[in-house]
Amino acid sequence: MLLPLEKLPAGRAPEFLHKVVDGICGRAYPRYQDYGNIWSLSEWMELLEETKAYFKTAVGKNISDEEAAQQISELNSDYQEAITKCLKGRKEEIRNALVERVNGISSAQLQDFDWQLKLALSSDKISMLQMPLLNLDLDVRENGEIKPISIEMNKEELQNLINALEAANKI
């Protein structure tokens, strides 16, 4: 998995690993220019992605230290030690960054909803319409304040909303 890491001199491994964690935490990732003489561009990109994935998985899935060590068992002991130290030392920082990223998706929360079914009998263009319409009123809390949102949907739009909510519920 992380075998290309062994091309890096063991003394530089902690610096590289901490820069990867810095990137996960919203700061700068390590730059290819600083390591271009060690790895090809494709090796660099693969190693960077695998290293990020290792740290995110180890912290995100809250795997044990033994299981985390087992995932890197093919590496030389110096590199295993560097990865383990970096993971243990910055686990909480990585966890906070992952939680922040998830929370950043949306901080809005549905507080309440109300719905009404109406039957539109006619419009200014059609005298005989008879189309069912749903009025959906949502109270959404965002940054501490409640925002009312009103949506009017026809039967097709309502079905699309239901399908989207069912798909989101499966995730």
Side-chain angles (χ1 to χ4, degrees), residues 123-166:
S123 73
D124 59 344
K125 295 189 176 41
I126 302 173
S127 63
M128 190 67 173
L129 186 61
Q130 294 204 353
M131 184 165 99
L133 294 172
L134 177 84
N135 279 357
L136 181 62
D137 295 320
L138 306 172
D139 290 335
V140 178
R141 180 183 302 273
E142 190 167 20
N143 300 326
E145 70 180 61
I146 295 180
K147 256 181 10 185
I149 298 172
S150 292
I151 306 167
E152 184 176 272
M153 294 178 271
N154 62 27
K155 189 175 182 179
E156 182 182 317
E157 292 168 328
L158 175 60
Q159 190 59 53
N160 288 342
L161 175 65
I162 291 170
N163 291 340
L165 291 173
E166 285 175 345

Side-chain angles (χ1 to χ4, degrees), residues 3-169:
L3 282 175
L5 184 62
E6 291 186 345
K7 286 185 174 183
L8 184 67
R12 291 186 64 194
E15 173 194 358
F16 170 77
L17 296 167
H18 282 284
K19 284 186 178 181
V20 171
V21 173
D22 286 345
I24 292 170
C25 296
R27 295 182 290 279
Y29 279 104
R31 299 177 323 156
Y32 175 69
Q33 293 89 319
D34 298 334
Y35 300 94
N37 58 340
I38 299 169
W39 298 293
S40 69
L41 184 57
S42 61
E43 287 176 321
W44 166 257
M45 293 180 72
E46 186 178 324
L47 178 65
L48 192 58
E49 287 304 313
E50 287 177 354
T51 308
K52 289 190 302 189
Y54 172 79
F55 284 125
K56 287 179 178 181
T57 303
V59 174
K61 292 187 175 179
N62 201 21
I63 63 175
S64 67
D65 292 343
E66 295 81 27
E67 196 176 338
Q70 187 180 0
Q71 289 183 7
I72 55 172
S73 61
E74 77 274 2
L75 292 174
N76 176 314
S77 63
D78 293 338
Y79 296 94
Q80 288 181 31
E81 185 181 334
I83 292 171
T84 303
K85 277 185 179 178
C86 183
L87 180 61
K88 283 183 179 178
R90 301 197 57 194
K91 187 177 255 184
E92 200 56 39
E93 194 176 347
I94 296 168
R95 182 180 323 287
N96 290 341
L98 294 176
V99 168
E100 187 112 351
R101 188 165 294 140
V102 169
N103 285 344
I105 292 171
S106 177
S107 61
Q109 296 176 331
L110 180 64
Q111 290 301 123
D112 196 14
F113 70 95
D114 189 23
W115 61 274
Q116 296 174 353
L117 185 61
K118 297 180 179 181
L119 184 62
L121 299 175
S122 63
S123 73
D124 59 344
K125 295 189 176 41
I126 302 173
S127 63
M128 190 67 173
L129 186 61
Q130 294 204 353
M131 184 165 99
L133 294 172
L134 177 84
N135 279 357
L136 181 62
D137 295 320
L138 306 172
D139 290 335
V140 178
R141 180 183 302 273
E142 190 167 20
N143 300 326
E145 70 180 61
I146 295 180
K147 256 181 10 185
I149 298 172
S150 292
I151 306 167
E152 184 176 272
M153 294 178 271
N154 62 27
K155 189 175 182 179
E156 182 182 317
E157 292 168 328
L158 175 60
Q159 190 59 53
N160 288 342
L161 175 65
I162 291 170
N163 291 340
L165 291 173
E166 285 175 345
N169 190 40

